[in-house]
Amino acid sequence: MKSILLSLLCCMALNTVAQQPIDYYNSQAYRAHERGDKAEAAKCFLLYLQEPQRRGMTQAQQDSLYQADRRVYDQAAVNAIYLFYSVNDMDGVMKALPYGRRTSKGISNVYIAGMEACKEKGMNDLWMELLKEAIVRCPQNPQFSDRLIEYYQSKKGNMAEAYAEMDKLIAANPQNADAWYAKGVLYFNVDENNTEARNCFSKAIALDEDNGYACAGMGSTYLQDVILLRRQGQFSLVFSGSDQKVKQSSYNKELAEVQTYYFNARTYLEMSRRLLPDKYDVWGTPLLECYKMLKQKDKYDQLYKEMNEE
């Protein structure tokens, strides 16, 4: 008798679930959010995403349903991840992450939350997987390429792996300017290979002429050229600070050569300034150096004043 009653109760429960509209939990999520209950809203958004599978739909049926109402499902996934993250429920973030990774909008926040959850749980391989995926899918968000740069700069002994991974990212999306920029930064910072760095930065600029970071990188390579040449003993007259009157002609010749590097650097740094007017940390100090070496005192004073007013 008890087994019959239990079977009847199970059937009633299944029928109740089946009778609920497919978007029941989605509407419940918005009601919970209106009440200010973020945790409950996140839970309901996740239940909405999981509902087709719970109803026993085949994968083909689930995919068809998802495609038919993709905008709503994408928004629910982004909402779930954001809300779980906002209440510091990293387990919830991880459960909603597979749904979030298939979205097409709002994906930057999906990857940021997912990477933080991986970091907290010590899931390093998935963290790197998400980071590389984010660089390909979020080309307008430089923070992902910056994180990859920081990661590989901390592992200077294995740059062959770093460049191989960069090449994979570029192959996955050859039109991704940020991937080219990231590779250029590694050549510049780690290897001090300005020729290869300029090649990468120029490709990034060709793909995205508004990429102020790549412009700053390009300008900085010319300033680094001067540093590397000085290590080799060149430009000793210009940078010695001694009395140049005795060797004025030699000094002038050397200064003219040095200034060609600063002319090139200034061109790209001013482009970066125009594209990133508030990012003094990106172009400010090197551009001041250019104005100083090119004897442009008015521009130097004006920029110096701007930077110190901030």
Side-chain angles (χ1 to χ4, degrees), residues 1-10:
M1 182 68 179
K2 288 182 179 179
S3 62
I4 295 174
L5 180 60
L6 181 60
S7 297
L8 288 172
L9 289 172
C10 289

Side-chain angles (χ1 to χ4, degrees), residues 213-256:
Y213 293 95
C215 291
M218 182 72 90
S220 296
T221 63
Y222 292 104
L223 299 183
Q224 185 164 258
D225 278 340
V226 175
I227 294 172
L228 297 178
L229 290 170
R230 289 181 64 188
R231 289 179 190 169
Q232 299 172 15
Q234 297 190 45
F235 309 137
S236 58
L237 294 177
V238 171
F239 293 101
S240 67
S242 61
D243 184 5
Q244 307 299 334
K245 292 182 179 180
V246 177
K247 301 179 180 179
Q248 192 67 49
S249 61
S250 298
Y251 174 84
N252 289 340
K253 181 180 179 181
E254 189 173 283
L255 178 62

Side-chain angles (χ1 to χ4, degrees), residues 263 266 270 290-301:
F263 276 123
R266 183 191 63 181
E270 287 184 338
C290 290
Y291 290 147
K292 178 180 179 180
M293 292 302 298
L294 295 173
K295 314 296 185 184
Q296 295 180 299
K297 187 177 183 304
D298 290 345
K299 288 187 175 183
Y300 179 95
D301 290 343

Side-chain angles (χ1 to χ4, degrees), residues 104-119:
S104 56
K105 295 182 179 179
I107 52 176
S108 287
N109 290 332
V110 167
Y111 287 113
I112 291 170
M115 289 170 62
E116 288 300 314
C118 288
K119 183 178 178 181

Side-chain angles (χ1 to χ4, degrees), residues 36-240:
D37 191 342
K38 292 183 178 180
E40 180 65 18
K43 177 183 174 182
C44 287
F45 278 125
L46 180 59
L47 287 171
Y48 169 65
L49 295 167
Q50 296 171 333
E51 181 71 0
Q53 184 178 9
R54 282 202 309 277
R55 294 196 180 201
M57 292 185 180
T58 65
Q59 189 60 54
Q61 290 173 325
Q62 293 178 47
D63 292 343
S64 177
L65 181 63
Y66 173 71
Q67 291 298 332
D69 212 355
R70 181 167 185 168
R71 183 183 62 81
V72 178
Y73 277 101
D74 282 357
Q75 190 62 60
V78 172
N79 290 348
I81 290 172
Y82 168 76
L83 290 167
F84 278 128
Y85 184 72
S86 69
V87 297
N88 199 33
D89 184 348
M90 296 306 176
D91 288 327
V93 170
M94 296 305 295
K95 289 177 183 177
L97 186 59
Y99 301 98
R101 289 174 73 177
R102 69 185 185 185
T103 64
S104 56
K105 295 182 179 179
I107 52 176
S108 287
N109 290 332
V110 167
Y111 287 113
I112 291 170
M115 289 170 62
E116 288 300 314
C118 288
K119 183 178 178 181
E120 182 172 300
K121 292 180 169 297
M123 302 173 70
N124 298 327
D125 290 343
L126 182 55
W127 181 90
M128 178 57 74
E129 180 182 327
L130 291 174
L131 178 56
K132 293 175 182 177
E133 190 175 302
I135 291 173
V136 173
R137 298 193 63 201
C138 310
Q140 301 304 318
N141 194 330
Q143 71 165 298
F144 296 119
S145 56
D146 287 345
R147 288 194 189 188
L148 193 62
I149 290 166
E150 290 172 6
Y151 174 82
Y152 282 125
Q153 285 181 165
S154 69
K155 298 180 177 296
K156 293 183 180 181
N158 196 4
M159 291 310 297
E161 175 191 341
Y163 291 123
E165 290 299 327
M166 289 296 180
D167 288 339
K168 289 179 184 178
L169 290 174
I170 291 169
N173 184 358
Q175 303 303 307
N176 189 330
D178 281 344
W180 283 107
Y181 165 73
K183 187 176 181 181
V185 170
L186 290 181
Y187 274 121
F188 174 77
N189 281 345
V190 180
D191 290 343
E192 294 185 338
N193 187 331
N194 292 323
T195 300
E196 289 296 336
R198 277 194 284 272
N199 180 51
C200 294
F201 290 141
S202 65
K203 287 180 179 178
I205 295 170
L207 291 168
D208 178 12
E209 62 183 12
D210 293 330
N211 193 317
Y213 293 95
C215 291
M218 182 72 90
S220 296
T221 63
Y222 292 104
L223 299 183
Q224 185 164 258
D225 278 340
V226 175
I227 294 172
L228 297 178
L229 290 170
R230 289 181 64 188
R231 289 179 190 169
Q232 299 172 15
Q234 297 190 45
F235 309 137
S236 58
L237 294 177
V238 171
F239 293 101
S240 67

